[in-house]
């Protein structure tokens, strides 16, 4: 039985819904389970029909579906009770947090062996395995692509030994954000696109520093600006953020004003690829 069918059955049972509008999914499900009577554009179910459906759903998930079922579990967790581990709604790597660190520094993860990330590699692990202790510093990275080419970033000297951590996406984004609440702001720097959206994301991230080009004027040199600045992106973001710049923390507000004055939107990929030296600016 498909996840969407089990979800439908649980929803119908918990609501006690005995009159169900016809859809392609419902037609196929009820016909397969031999329940219900058609009446115009609806299926009419009896108590016996609802019980038959919920029993089928319970068999599929390996537990009493009358109590609901957590489809956000990992495939491995679902495999403990159900025959179909793919009932999980989570991406296989959804719970993996991506880390990278200069080769001569060990990753801050729980392991009996020292773990390293050679250039052009990153390490994925469950967030519970990461040591967010007081001595560890992290660079929060916006773009997953940068986690593949992190070694090309010209980090500030005093941040070269920090651990880069991908901020994630979807449910993982929330998990990473919560975990980083354990880290003091002075031990966190944000490395995001140099545009208004990036500035506001860092503002909300809890980072004490932001990594930006050490020479901002180099971004507006004609040779670089005309080739790599995404003016359309700036205008799109400006319509969203222009009236909110005064709400930014002081260090970020100055950067946002510079971005606005020069209509800038420079991605992390361009900062890394074109070897733009970065500096850490207090937020």
């Amino acid at each position: 039985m498909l996840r969407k069918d089990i979800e439908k059955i649980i929803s119908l049972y918990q609501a006690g819904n005995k009159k169900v509008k016809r859809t392609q999914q419902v037609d196929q499900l009820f016909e397969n389970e031999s329940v219900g009577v058609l009446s115009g554009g609806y299926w009419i179910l009896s108590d016996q029909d609802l019980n038959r459906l919920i029993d089928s759903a319970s068999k599929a998930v390996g537990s009493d579906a009358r109590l609901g079922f957590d489809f956000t579990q990992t495939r491995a967790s679902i495999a403990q009770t159900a025959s179909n581990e793919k009932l999980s709604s989570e991406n296989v790597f959804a719970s993996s947090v991506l880390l990278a660190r200069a080769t001569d520094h060990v990753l801050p993860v729980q392991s009996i062996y020292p773990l390293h990330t050679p250039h052009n590699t990153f390490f994925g692990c469950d967030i519970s395995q990461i040591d967010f202790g007081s001595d560890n510093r992290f660079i929060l990275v916006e773009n997953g692509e940068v986690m593949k080419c992190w070694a090309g970033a010209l980090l500030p000297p005093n941040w070269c030994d920090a651990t880069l951590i991908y901020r994630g996406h979807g449910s993982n984004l929330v998990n990473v954000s919560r975990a980083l609440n354990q880290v003091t702001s002075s031990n966190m720097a944000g490395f995001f696109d140099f545009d208004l959206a990036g500035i506001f994301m860092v503002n909300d991230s809890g980072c004490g520093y932001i990594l930006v080009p050490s020479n901002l004027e180099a971004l507006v040199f004609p040779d670089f600006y005309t080739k790599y600045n995404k003016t359309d992106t700036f205008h799109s973001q400006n319509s969203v953020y222009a009236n909110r710049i005064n709400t930014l923390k002081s260090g970020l507000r100055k950067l946002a004003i510079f971005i606005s004055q020069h209509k800038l939107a420079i991605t992390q990929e361009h900062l890394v690829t074109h070897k733009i030296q970065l500096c850490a600016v207090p937020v």
Side-chain angles (χ1 to χ4, degrees):
M1 186 176 288
L2 299 175
R3 182 174 70 240
K4 65 177 182 179
D5 292 333
I6 299 171
E7 290 174 329
K8 184 70 175 180
I9 290 171
I10 292 174
S11 175
L12 292 175
Y13 182 84
Q14 292 182 341
N17 192 355
K18 298 180 182 178
K19 184 177 181 180
V20 185
K21 188 174 182 178
R22 292 188 65 183
T23 65
Q24 185 176 357
Q25 178 199 357
V26 168
D27 285 353
Q28 185 173 353
L29 173 61
F30 288 4
E31 288 169 4
N32 289 344
E33 296 295 323
S34 300
V35 298
V37 176
L38 279 173
S39 176
Y42 292 87
W43 285 89
I44 307 301
L45 301 174
S46 65
D47 288 335
Q48 185 179 7
D49 289 331
L50 278 177
N51 282 320
R52 182 181 299 176
L53 287 171
I54 201 68
D55 285 343
S56 293
S58 296
K59 182 178 179 181
V61 300
S63 61
D64 189 355
R66 291 169 177 80
L67 305 177
F69 188 75
D70 181 10
F71 293 96
T72 65
Q73 299 176 75
T74 65
R75 291 188 179 189
S77 295
I78 288 180
Q80 293 178 355
T81 59
S83 62
N84 183 7
E85 77 288 348
K86 293 187 176 69
L87 291 176
S88 173
S89 61
E90 285 290 296
N91 180 283
V92 174
F93 298 106
S95 62
S96 292
V97 179
L98 306 186
L99 305 172
R101 197 177 189 187
T103 309
D104 53 344
H105 296 287
V106 177
L107 288 176
V109 297
Q110 299 172 24
S111 172
I112 60 175
Y113 304 106
L115 298 173
H116 299 268
T117 45
H119 291 187
N120 302 317
T121 69
F122 52 80
F123 180 80
C125 67
D126 188 271
I127 202 161
S128 63
Q129 299 300 111
I130 303 173
D131 179 8
F132 291 104
S134 59
D135 293 333
N136 293 316
R137 295 196 303 167
F138 295 87
I139 296 175
L140 185 62
V141 175
E142 173 189 359
N143 196 316
E145 179 68 22
V146 173
M147 293 302 296
K148 296 193 294 185
C149 60
W150 60 269
L154 299 184
L155 300 175
N158 58 338
W159 284 90
C160 284
D161 64 343
T163 299
L164 288 85
I165 180 170
Y166 175 48
R167 75 184 187 111
H169 58 276
S171 60
N172 206 16
L173 187 152
V174 177
N175 293 334
V176 172
S177 178
R178 287 175 178 169
L180 287 174
N181 285 336
Q182 306 172 55
V183 182
T184 60
S185 61
S186 60
N187 284 341
M188 284 177 54
F191 181 32
F192 287 55
D193 288 344
F194 192 66
D195 56 20
L196 290 177
I199 294 294
F200 275 86
M201 282 190 281
V202 173
N203 188 71
D204 299 334
S205 69
C207 291
Y209 294 86
I210 180 173
L211 303 188
V212 298
S214 57
N215 181 9
L216 295 182
E217 296 298 331
L219 301 181
V220 298
F221 288 167
D223 284 349
F224 184 87
Y225 184 89
T226 56
K227 287 183 180 180
Y228 307 118
N229 185 57
K230 301 173 74 172
T231 307
D232 290 346
T233 297
F234 166 78
H235 287 300
S236 175
Q237 294 182 359
N238 192 52
S239 64
V240 176
Y241 297 110
N243 294 329
R244 297 168 52 191
I245 289 178
N246 286 335
T247 67
L248 290 167
K249 299 169 185 176
S250 59
L252 295 176
R253 187 163 60 246
K254 294 176 182 177
L255 294 169
I257 291 172
F258 182 87
I259 287 172
S260 296
Q261 289 175 337
H262 297 283
K263 299 180 173 57
L264 286 170
I266 306 294
T267 66
Q268 288 176 280
E269 290 91 337
H270 283 108
L271 297 177
V272 173
T273 301
H274 297 287
K275 301 296 181 183
I276 304 296
Q277 177 64 55
L278 302 173
C279 67
V281 175
V283 169

